[in-house]
């Protein structure tokens, strides 16, 4: 508990999990304001985030023996920043239209009445 490295990792995980829960609680409201009416589409898009956490944990467990923890953490943060940057650029250049008919997951037409 007195290790500075431990507290660095712990604080990083606290912010990561806090961001995840903020996203999970606020994403449906934001999606509705952007015109995504389908609950299935919102659920599918929200499922990508926990799926990425599972994938990241799998890679960390598998390659954690081969690389130092700071290298793994820096790599994860760079990948996260890259993914967010691509999303922002796609939104900025209007390649993603926020409505179910152009949802990246082919769920349009599955809306419940």
């Amino acid at each position: 508990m007195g290790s500075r490295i431990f507290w660095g990792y712990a604080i990083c995980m606290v912010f990561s999990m806090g961001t995840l829960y903020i996203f999970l609680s606020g994403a449906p409201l934001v999606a509705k304001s952007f015109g995504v009416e389908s609950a299935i589409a919102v659920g599918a898009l929200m499922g990508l985030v926990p799926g990425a956490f599972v994938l990241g944990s799998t890679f960390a467990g598998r390659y954690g023996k081969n690389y130092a923890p700071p290298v793994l953490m820096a790599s994860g943060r760079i990948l996260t920043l890259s993914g967010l940057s691509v999303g922002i650029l796609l939104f900025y250049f209007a390649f993603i239209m926020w409505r179910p008919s152009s949802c990246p997951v082919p769920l349009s037409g599955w809306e419940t009445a």
Side-chain angles (χ1 to χ4, degrees):
M1 292 292 277
S3 172
R4 293 176 71 150
I5 294 174
F6 166 78
W7 284 109
Y9 294 148
I11 290 170
C12 183
M13 187 54 112
V14 163
F15 284 119
S16 296
M17 294 307 295
T19 302
L20 173 68
Y21 287 118
I22 289 170
F23 170 74
L24 291 177
S25 63
L29 298 173
V30 173
K32 190 152 191 103
S33 71
F34 275 99
V36 178
E37 298 293 328
S38 170
I40 294 174
V42 172
L45 292 172
M46 286 178 61
L48 293 174
V49 175
F53 266 89
V54 169
L55 187 64
S57 296
T58 301
F59 281 128
R62 182 167 292 178
Y63 298 114
K65 302 170 209 154
N66 302 333
Y67 298 101
V71 172
L72 290 173
M73 288 186 65
S75 300
R77 294 299 165 203
I78 289 170
L79 284 172
T80 301
L81 180 62
S82 301
L84 289 171
S85 299
V86 167
I88 289 170
L89 287 173
L90 287 173
F91 181 74
Y92 180 74
F93 290 112
F95 289 125
I96 295 177
M97 306 304 262
W98 291 99
R99 56 181 193 261
S101 64
S102 63
C103 177
V105 182
L107 295 176
S108 59
W110 288 14
E111 296 92 21
T112 58

